[in-house]
Amino acid sequence: MDVSQYLEIFIEETKEHLQSLNEQLLVLEKEPDNKETINEIFRAAHSLKGMAGTMGYKRMQKLTHDMENVFQEIRNEKMKVSSTLVDGLFRGLDALEEYLDNIVNNQDEGTNDNQDIIDLFQKELQDGLSGGATPEASAPASTEASAASAPAATATATAAAADPKELLDSFTLTEQEKNLINKARSQEQQAYIVRINIQDTCVLKAARAFLVFKAIESVGETIKSMPDAQAIEDEKFDFSFSVVITSKKTMEEVQAAVMNVSEVKSVDIALIDESKCEAKAHEEQTADKAASGTANAAAAAQTKAPASTSKKPVVNRSVRVDIDKLDDLMNLVSELIIAKNGLVSISPADLVRDDKNSSFRDQVEYLERITTNIHQSVMKVRMVPIESVVNRFPRMIRDLSKKLDKKMELFMSGEETELDRTVIDEIGDPLQHILRNAADHGLETNEERIKAGKPEVGSIFLSAYQEGNNVVIEVRDDGHGIDVEKVKAKALERGTITPDQAETMSDKEIIDLLFRPSFSTAEKISDISGRGVGLDVVKTKIEALGGSVECRSVLGEGSTFIIRLPLTLAIIQSLMVVLGNEKYAIPLGSIQTIEDIPTTDIKYVEGKEVINLRGTVIPLVRLDKILDVPNSKQDQESLTVVIVAKGDKQAGLIVDDLIGQLEIVIKSIGKYINNSKMISGATILGDGEIALILDANTLV
Amino acid sequence: MADNNMVASTLDTTQYIGVIIGNEQYGIDIKYIDNIVKMQRITRVPKAQPYFYGVINIRGEIIPVMSLRVKFGLEPDEFSKKTRILIVKPEQQAPVGFIVDEVREVINLADEDIDKSSNTAEQGSFISGVGKHSKGLISLMNVAAVITEKEAAAN
């Protein structure tokens, strides 16, 4: 059977499960006795195994199977969670990720058997299990595990044979369900119990089940299903499941309709008579627990897989939009239509008469309000919590801790801070890099920490929060900080700066040297960081996103990297300025101040115009010259200068006039026009006119 | 519309928009034409190639506009009531606006009416062939070449 069409789903779900396994394992390491966690892990591992098996990835299945065995024993409290065991399990997860990568890249799991990891698990199993520590011990354990792990809630559905009586006895109804059946019966419908047996070769049982439900919908109504709908959707059933339906059709017709679905092996059907509905009523209290959908699964879960007890882990699978946000949008669109109708109803004759103009203006104002709100709503839809990026870091820090033999812990806060999707996609790598830096270079070794009177366990803090139109992500460590003198010496040695420069540079300027290409102060080059390709890449990437990064450090107390990112890339706040007859937008983010400078204050340094603004010498840029603007009127007594900054550098842009602040939508001017990068885009103003957006970074 | 074109219109014909640039008539394959708009205010883009007059706003989309006159080495445009901007959308590429002196008509040309081996290529590769119709000859513009050659010049 060709499974390629399900590959995408498989990949997504596998990622989801691996992430959840990673997270839960971390929890388990800290709280080895946490029952819920181990159940969750078990469930994820089990689903993984099932999925890999269905997709025909045998190696992946084998590995997960062995992992599952380990979890099984932990769950049965026959094994203790040890650090080495968790290490092994993490290695297993990494191997699974490797398989997944291979699958993503060439639709094949690759040929690595990871036998060593499997052997490790087997060994752990033997060592962990009291008693029979023979190699055979793992074999029964594994069969036991796979048997026990058979999907929950199948017992009721599969055990019974095709015998109608048994079929009828295989389920019970709640009071509500009986009412539904009785009501249907009063409308000349019949109630049936239908058991669908799906072919053993069926690959996506859930999809098949869905089609069966569709087929049933066409002939009647589903009252209940066993296992319940959620479990079926999650494929937590073997090869058969049962449904109670009401229908006007005869038994044969219903059966035929269901049989029409391909890959259905057989359909058993029986009529539910009144006696069933009433007789069971008395037993209800006892029967209810085992019968009603979720309880059924839950009861089974106590002895079998912890199926429906654990909630689904929340991971970004695709575009997930909060339903409230969508509702908001929908409401606004309705209002928009009302506003449009309002405008339509104003007849042209009304427009001519002055007195009626006010109603027109009202409508326009109304429209304006709605569009602003729609805009905000749509922007909200684009926002994604930063959690989806940072949730993989705790695992990374744990691994680094082992690898570097330093004790450290990661504290995260503000994971719910939202950022534009495009930013989220790009920010992962730079953040990871900074974290690795903090772990490798920032934190001292355990001995050094103790000597310095610090707690042995180093701390790394990752916090995200919103600040105006920016989102700030801070990575702070309580390590030894950056040794400015060391950086300076290194810079001199490398010839990055001259001795003269070194004299006059402030500490901050020296720290900023770290962001220069090929600059690493790590004496030891490790495979974690320190190849000197790091921070400049981080900086370039963040700047490409329209953000900025800076570093603060106190020697002996630690360093903080502060990343500022725009909330969104598509819409920015800007200052509108006039040059000649043209309008330009300067992003507000790069503007520091706006000054009125008398022409007499202009000084010349090396033939270039500069001003001395409160002690800082700032070069002036005559925008009209650079942009070849005709009819500029700048030769007045006083100049309007917009001071922009890029990092520590500043420049004064001379403009004719200011219009004001405006929220603008950035649009590309396409690739055809060659414009030397001064123009980063264009925006459409309220009157349909286009204003170009100046990239202040290229002008400084 | 010319009669002989009408006859052949069902079989192997291509429709061209006839435009005037300078004193020549050009035909642009209708499949490339997205829109034809009247002359409107063009926002100048500094440091752009001389034949790019700037950008215009077509229903919220920003589209660069080029002058075919300048591109073809003719006198700069004199905008009149007849001046039009053709929004051309080449396959796989972003739309671009062509300023032309006038848009005349839609011309049906059968394949046999097109002389592709034309050696009258005064403007080199901008012409993909010469079409013959009742009112005379029409140069068929090679839209892709006009755009790609321009990109090469940009670099």
Side-chain angles (χ1 to χ4, degrees):
Chain A
M1 161 117 193
D2 179 28
V3 291
S4 57
Q5 52 184 317
Y6 309 121
L7 197 64
E8 215 163 292
I9 306 171
F10 170 74
I11 291 168
E12 282 299 323
E13 299 214 327
T14 308
K15 276 186 189 158
E16 207 167 291
H17 284 307
L18 282 177
Q19 176 61 35
S20 133
L21 277 172
N22 265 318
E23 282 170 13
Q24 299 294 340
L25 260 183
L26 280 175
V27 178
L28 187 70
E29 194 181 20
K30 287 198 193 109
E31 313 161 23
D33 297 324
N34 191 330
K35 264 268 174 236
E36 209 164 290
T37 310
I38 185 75
N39 281 341
E40 170 89 358
I41 291 178
F42 190 83
R43 194 188 65 82
H46 180 72
S47 320
L48 255 187
K49 184 182 84 169
M51 277 159 36
T54 0
M55 296 297 286
Y57 298 123
K58 291 279 178 290
R59 294 188 180 84
M60 203 166 166
Q61 189 187 11
K62 174 98 177 58
L63 184 60
T64 30
H65 176 75
D66 284 289
M67 278 175 89
E68 197 186 340
N69 289 349
V70 176
F71 294 135
Q72 167 82 6
E73 294 311 319
I74 299 174
R75 202 161 59 118
N76 295 347
E77 291 174 6
K78 288 189 184 150
M79 262 171 88
K80 282 269 166 278
V81 180
S82 67
S83 183
T84 44
L85 180 64
V86 174
D87 278 347
L89 291 171
F90 273 130
R91 273 181 62 202
L93 290 185
D94 289 342
L96 288 177
E97 254 162 55
E98 202 178 300
Y99 284 141
L100 187 65
D101 279 351
N102 283 336
I103 291 165
V104 171
N105 294 332
N106 37 30
Q107 310 207 348
D108 188 84
E109 58 181 336
T111 52
N112 191 347
D113 278 327
N114 285 302
Q115 195 56 46
D116 52 332
I117 301 176
I118 292 174
D119 290 345
L120 181 88
F121 289 153
Q122 307 262 359
K123 190 174 159 297
E124 285 287 342
L125 273 175
Q126 286 166 32
D127 295 352
L129 291 172
S130 52
T134 53
E136 285 77 16
S138 63
S142 60
T143 46
E144 180 198 335
S146 57
S149 64
T154 52
T156 47
T158 51
D163 176 24
K165 180 162 173 3
E166 209 175 328
L167 196 61
L168 280 174
D169 288 342
S170 70
F171 73 101
T172 48
L173 296 167
T174 62
E175 204 53 51
Q176 197 189 2
E177 284 154 2
K178 281 171 197 158
N179 280 339
L180 277 172
I181 292 175
N182 287 330
K183 198 170 150 215
R185 204 170 270 137
S186 65
Q187 289 163 1
E188 293 177 357
Q189 294 189 359
Q190 286 301 331
Y192 303 106
I193 165 84
V194 186
R195 184 163 67 222
I196 296 98
N197 299 311
I198 292 177
Q199 284 173 13
D200 302 351
T201 51
C202 177
V203 175
L204 272 198
K205 293 179 290 183
R208 213 39 79 188
F210 176 76
L211 291 177
V212 170
F213 279 112
K214 273 276 184 205
I216 289 173
E217 247 172 58
S218 66
V219 292
E221 256 180 83
T222 313
I223 302 293
K224 72 176 289 184
S225 66
M226 286 142 298
D228 65 306
Q230 185 60 44
I232 290 178
E233 206 174 287
D234 293 345
E235 272 193 16
K236 291 196 192 74
F237 63 99
D238 237 355
F239 286 100
S240 70
F241 59 93
S242 312
V243 282
V244 175
I245 64 165
T246 57
S247 171
K248 281 186 180 165
K249 305 268 171 115
T250 65
M251 220 190 281
E252 286 72 27
E253 280 171 325
V254 175
Q255 193 169 17
V258 179
M259 278 305 280
N260 264 341
V261 179
S262 56
E263 289 193 293
V264 170
K265 191 162 70 183
S266 62
V267 178
D268 306 326
I269 187 162
L271 187 72
I272 301 173
D273 53 25
E274 278 165 51
S275 66
K276 173 95 183 168
C277 282
E278 268 138 18
K280 291 282 177 183
H282 309 293
E283 301 169 28
E284 192 180 40
Q285 263 186 330
T286 45
D288 190 27
K289 193 172 138 227
S292 71
T294 43
N296 186 352
Q302 284 178 359
T303 49
K304 307 219 185 290
S308 48
T309 46
S310 53
K311 61 179 188 294
K312 265 195 145 188
V314 190
V315 185
N316 264 11
R317 193 197 289 192
S318 46
V319 188
R320 282 196 187 167
V321 178
D322 190 340
I323 198 89
D324 286 344
K325 288 178 180 172
L326 273 186
D327 284 348
D328 270 359
L329 206 54
M330 194 58 222
N331 280 335
L332 286 168
V333 171
S334 328
E335 277 194 57
L336 188 65
I337 292 167
I338 296 167
K340 183 210 75 180
N341 290 343
L343 281 177
V344 170
S345 68
I346 298 172
S347 69
D350 291 341
L351 283 177
V352 181
R353 294 210 308 272
D354 274 351
D355 56 317
K356 285 279 181 179
N357 256 6
S358 70
S359 82
F360 177 71
R361 262 202 305 277
D362 284 353
Q363 286 297 334
V364 170
E365 260 170 42
Y366 182 40
L367 200 61
E368 219 171 76
R369 207 171 59 238
I370 296 165
T371 45
T372 316
N373 287 339
I374 287 187
H375 169 199
Q376 278 168 359
S377 296
V378 174
M379 291 320 294
K380 270 189 209 148
V381 170
R382 283 183 58 93
M383 303 299 262
V384 188
I386 197 165
E387 190 185 5
S388 58
V389 183
V390 300
N391 57 11
R392 62 184 148 115
F393 291 144
R395 164 77 204 279
M396 189 185 88
I397 291 295
R398 181 201 174 273
D399 288 357
L400 286 176
S401 168
K402 295 258 169 191
K403 212 166 190 171
L404 297 165
D405 200 21
K406 290 180 188 174
K407 288 187 181 156
M408 60 181 87
E409 211 165 332
L410 177 68
F411 300 93
M412 300 206 291
S413 65
E415 293 106 312
E416 71 289 340
T417 314
E418 292 188 326
L419 263 174
D420 192 273
R421 187 176 304 277
T422 33
V423 182
I424 288 281
D425 291 344
E426 295 292 322
I427 195 65
D429 287 346
L431 266 184
Q432 179 170 347
H433 196 95
I434 293 177
L435 278 171
R436 278 166 175 265
N437 260 332
D440 196 9
H441 306 318
L443 295 177
E444 312 91 327
T445 59
N446 297 343
E447 299 79 43
E448 280 170 3
R449 287 190 70 89
I450 294 167
K451 220 187 283 172
K454 291 183 183 178
E456 189 186 358
V457 180
S459 309
I460 300 174
F461 302 88
L462 178 82
S463 40
Y465 53 92
Q466 196 175 332
E467 190 188 79
N469 264 338
N470 287 317
V471 164
V472 180
I473 305 174
E474 280 184 14
V475 178
R476 183 161 62 87
D477 65 67
D478 66 348
H480 52 58
I482 295 169
D483 189 340
V484 176
E485 290 307 316
K486 218 154 124 191
V487 176
K488 202 190 272 181
K490 190 92 171 186
L492 283 172
E493 181 196 313
R494 295 244 174 127
T496 320
I497 52 169
T498 64
D500 287 350
Q501 280 176 313
E503 283 299 305
T504 54
M505 281 172 95
S506 66
D507 283 4
K508 192 171 173 349
E509 283 170 322
I510 289 168
I511 288 174
D512 282 346
L513 286 176
L514 293 174
F515 291 106
R516 295 268 185 95
S518 350
F519 200 98
S520 173
T521 55
E523 279 132 40
K524 221 173 24 187
I525 286 188
S526 62
D527 63 341
I528 291 155
S529 55
R531 274 181 238 264
V533 288
L535 282 177
D536 67 305
V537 177
V538 169
K539 189 177 170 152
T540 323
K541 193 126 193 196
I542 289 169
E543 279 177 358
L545 293 171
S548 67
V549 56
E550 62 170 312
C551 174
R552 289 181 198 152
S553 181
V554 179
L555 193 60
E557 285 177 26
S559 325
T560 311
F561 283 85
I562 301 160
I563 300 172
R564 260 170 243 278
L565 291 164
L567 261 185
T568 162
L569 291 180
I571 297 190
I572 57 166
Q573 289 287 341
S574 75
L575 175 73
M576 299 301 299
V577 300
V578 180
L579 284 166
N581 298 324
E582 299 173 0
K583 289 176 187 166
Y584 288 90
I586 304 174
L588 219 51
S590 52
I591 297 178
Q592 288 202 314
T593 56
I594 298 164
E595 308 282 343
D596 267 328
I597 307 285
T599 33
T600 49
D601 277 9
I602 299 179
K603 307 279 188 297
Y604 290 88
V605 171
E606 291 176 342
K608 287 182 188 131
E609 291 177 308
V610 298
I611 47 166
N612 184 344
L613 186 69
R614 292 181 281 277
T616 320
V617 176
I618 298 173
L620 289 180
V621 178
R622 291 205 178 253
L623 281 183
D624 56 336
K625 298 261 163 56
I626 287 189
L627 301 173
D628 307 321
V629 179
N631 317 320
S632 175
K633 308 172 279 283
Q634 281 184 1
D635 284 320
Q636 304 145 353
E637 283 179 5
S638 141
L639 298 172
T640 308
V641 180
V642 179
I643 310 287
V644 295
K646 174 197 181 188
D648 289 342
K649 286 202 294 182
Q650 291 173 317
L653 309 179
I654 302 178
V655 299
D656 288 8
D657 206 355
L658 304 170
I659 301 174
Q661 187 179 333
L662 192 69
E663 192 172 48
I664 57 169
V665 181
I666 301 176
K667 303 211 171 211
S668 160
I669 57 170
K671 289 187 189 123
Y672 296 127
I673 295 187
N674 179 26
N675 67 68
S676 77
K677 289 189 178 161
M678 279 184 300
I679 308 297
S680 60
T683 189
I684 296 169
L685 303 176
D687 55 1
E689 206 182 313
I690 297 175
L692 299 177
I693 303 165
L694 290 176
D695 185 355
N697 282 336
T698 61
L699 296 168
V700 176
Chain B
M1 192 64 54
D3 290 338
N4 58 343
N5 285 338
M6 293 301 282
V7 176
S9 64
T10 48
L11 263 170
D12 295 330
T13 64
T14 314
Q15 286 191 308
Y16 290 88
I17 300 269
V19 299
I20 305 287
I21 299 163
N23 41 28
E24 246 186 282
Q25 191 176 16
Y26 287 87
I28 302 177
D29 194 332
I30 208 161
K31 75 179 177 191
Y32 295 121
I33 309 287
D34 196 50
N35 203 346
I36 300 175
V37 295
K38 286 193 177 167
M39 198 57 206
Q40 53 175 280
R41 190 192 152 126
I42 298 177
T43 306
R44 189 184 66 93
V45 177
K47 307 284 183 206
Q49 302 92 315
Y51 45 80
F52 267 118
Y53 280 13
V55 288
I56 54 168
N57 166 17
I58 301 289
R59 289 190 294 263
E61 199 175 349
I62 295 196
I63 294 173
V65 176
M66 70 191 296
S67 158
L68 290 182
R69 274 174 157 267
V70 177
K71 180 83 186 177
F72 293 164
L74 303 171
E75 297 283 301
D77 300 68
E78 274 174 32
F79 301 137
S80 72
K81 277 187 177 171
K82 287 180 174 173
T83 308
R84 293 288 183 276
I85 302 175
L86 264 68
I87 309 300
V88 175
K89 183 149 186 6
E91 288 154 25
Q92 314 283 326
Q93 275 175 298
V96 59
F98 287 168
I99 300 173
V100 298
D101 292 350
E102 192 183 334
V103 174
R104 275 275 169 82
E105 62 201 330
V106 177
I107 300 160
N108 283 298
L109 284 179
D111 275 358
E112 62 262 27
D113 290 335
I114 298 173
D115 182 3
K116 281 191 172 145
S117 62
S118 164
N119 50 4
T120 56
E122 208 171 313
Q123 261 108 22
S125 61
F126 296 150
I127 307 300
S128 62
V130 174
K132 286 166 274 189
H133 74 128
S134 60
K135 290 179 192 162
L137 296 177
I138 174 169
S139 313
L140 305 179
M141 200 180 293
N142 182 350
V143 172
V146 172
I147 288 167
T148 41
E149 191 272 346
K150 169 197 78 272
E151 274 186 324
N155 293 323

